[in-house]
Amino acid sequence: MLFKKLPETIFVPFSGQNKHIYEAVLLDLADQFFDEDLVDPFVPKDLIRSCIEDTVVRLGVRRWEPEEGESEADRQELPRSAAEYTSRIYRRLVETGWLEEEQRIYRTFVLLSPAISYLLRTLVGINELEKRSYGGAVLNVLSSLESAVNDPAGRGITLQEAAQTAADFSAHLTDMMLGLRELKNSLAATSNPQEIVRSFFDRFVAHILVSDYKTLKTKNNPFRFRRQILTMLRDLQFDPLKVDKLSKHYQEQFELSFADAEAMVH
């Protein structure tokens, strides 16, 4: 199922000796494609090549290993300059499906397909392992739930947003627990107190823990909304009129039968 949406060669660049180069290049390219000010998803080819060359120079690339699927000519003639490295990397990313080209009169533009864009965003997220705000997640759930309850016929879809936010943050908490397990195993392997403290803050607090962990012990901690959220959900569960309106709204939004829409609401 995965490769019905992604090219079969998509992970080839990460399977060879040059994978760290491709990783750095794609992370830098993500800044080009996911720029908040970017209006047109079609980026000029020369800008993409320039970005790749900047990465090559920054990394100080001086060595290139032959790769699977390369032509015999490419295997025998390895790149010798930043420009040649850039050409080799760019061509490889196009061949393996990471980048697509589109010709517009006299200029060539580069774009990402929707599946590749989603994949790259996911890889960037894994690389950054951004901390999550517990208070932000709880307030998003509360706000979305209030919208759905107060206007089920017009804004009922926000009930699903509340459920998705809760599910996403629940998954983050699971990741956090697994991160603790890995950290415990690594700390058990060292007897250096300084290394233990450094690892805890660098690997756990800085990268895994929720960003607003200090507020969890204050009177403003997000747990204070827990009772309010549960009360609203319980009242909604036993309010057939609102459940009926929500179900009809879901039926319209998702083009479902009423029975399926009602099951989705519940």
Side-chain angles (χ1 to χ4, degrees):
M1 184 178 292
L2 180 65
F3 290 103
K4 288 182 179 179
K5 296 180 172 60
L6 296 172
E8 292 190 5
T9 56
I10 195 67
F11 295 113
V12 169
F14 296 130
S15 63
Q17 299 280 336
N18 306 310
K19 58 187 176 184
H20 299 298
I21 301 175
Y22 288 113
E23 175 194 2
V25 165
L26 285 170
L27 290 176
D28 286 345
L29 287 180
D31 292 335
Q32 297 291 332
F33 287 108
F34 305 145
D35 187 343
E36 293 178 355
D37 298 324
L38 183 67
V39 177
D40 191 345
F42 295 83
V43 182
K45 179 180 177 179
D46 53 355
L47 181 59
I48 295 299
R49 286 180 57 90
S50 176
C51 178
I52 295 174
E53 187 165 355
D54 289 344
T55 306
V56 167
V57 172
R58 176 172 58 81
L59 294 177
V61 179
R62 294 291 182 271
R63 181 179 177 83
W64 186 266
E65 298 292 340
E67 298 186 298
E68 175 189 348
E70 280 187 334
S71 66
E72 192 60 34
D74 283 342
R75 285 178 171 274
Q76 292 181 358
E77 187 174 349
L78 298 178
R80 292 166 294 181
S81 66
E84 291 182 2
Y85 278 111
T86 298
S87 295
R88 181 72 61 93
I89 293 168
Y90 176 82
R91 188 165 66 248
R92 188 68 164 165
L93 291 176
V94 172
E95 290 172 351
T96 54
W98 281 99
L99 304 177
E100 292 185 19
E101 293 184 338
E102 179 163 310
Q103 195 71 28
R104 292 186 178 179
I105 309 177
Y106 301 113
R107 296 192 69 185
T108 302
F109 291 83
V110 181
L111 65 147
L112 302 177
S113 71
I116 298 299
S117 177
Y118 186 84
L119 175 61
L120 184 54
R121 288 178 191 273
T122 302
L123 293 178
V124 170
I126 292 173
N127 181 66
E128 294 176 350
L129 275 178
E130 291 183 350
K131 294 181 290 185
R132 299 287 297 276
S133 164
Y134 201 149
V138 173
L139 286 173
N140 281 339
V141 171
L142 178 61
S143 176
S144 298
L145 184 58
E146 286 176 336
S147 295
V149 170
N150 293 333
D151 185 11
R155 305 180 66 182
I157 195 67
T158 58
L159 178 64
Q160 192 200 39
E161 294 176 6
Q164 187 60 53
T165 300
D168 288 345
F169 197 77
S170 178
H172 172 71
L173 294 180
T174 300
D175 293 340
M176 193 167 71
M177 288 188 288
L178 293 174
L180 268 176
R181 176 181 174 275
E182 288 185 356
L183 181 66
K184 182 183 71 173
N185 292 337
S186 66
L187 295 184
T190 179
S191 57
N192 184 332
Q194 291 181 332
E195 183 61 30
I196 291 175
V197 174
R198 185 182 304 111
S199 294
F200 177 76
F201 282 98
D202 290 349
R203 294 183 53 193
F204 183 67
V205 174
H207 295 291
I208 301 174
L209 194 65
V210 288
S211 61
D212 52 354
Y213 69 99
K214 289 182 180 179
T215 67
L216 298 181
K217 293 186 178 181
T218 69
K219 65 180 181 180
N220 291 323
N221 86 79
F223 277 117
R224 71 187 190 277
F225 297 114
R226 178 178 183 273
R227 184 183 299 276
Q228 185 178 349
I229 290 172
L230 292 177
T231 299
M232 291 177 67
L233 286 170
R234 194 173 294 113
D235 291 344
L236 177 61
Q237 183 179 7
F238 295 102
D239 188 332
L241 180 60
K242 284 189 176 180
V243 169
D244 183 71
K245 289 182 178 180
L246 281 168
S247 301
K248 290 178 180 177
H249 184 72
Y250 269 45
Q251 186 179 13
E252 294 174 359
Q253 293 293 321
F254 297 106
E255 298 181 352
L256 302 171
S257 66
F258 182 82
D260 289 340
E262 187 178 36
M264 195 173 180
V265 168
H266 283 295

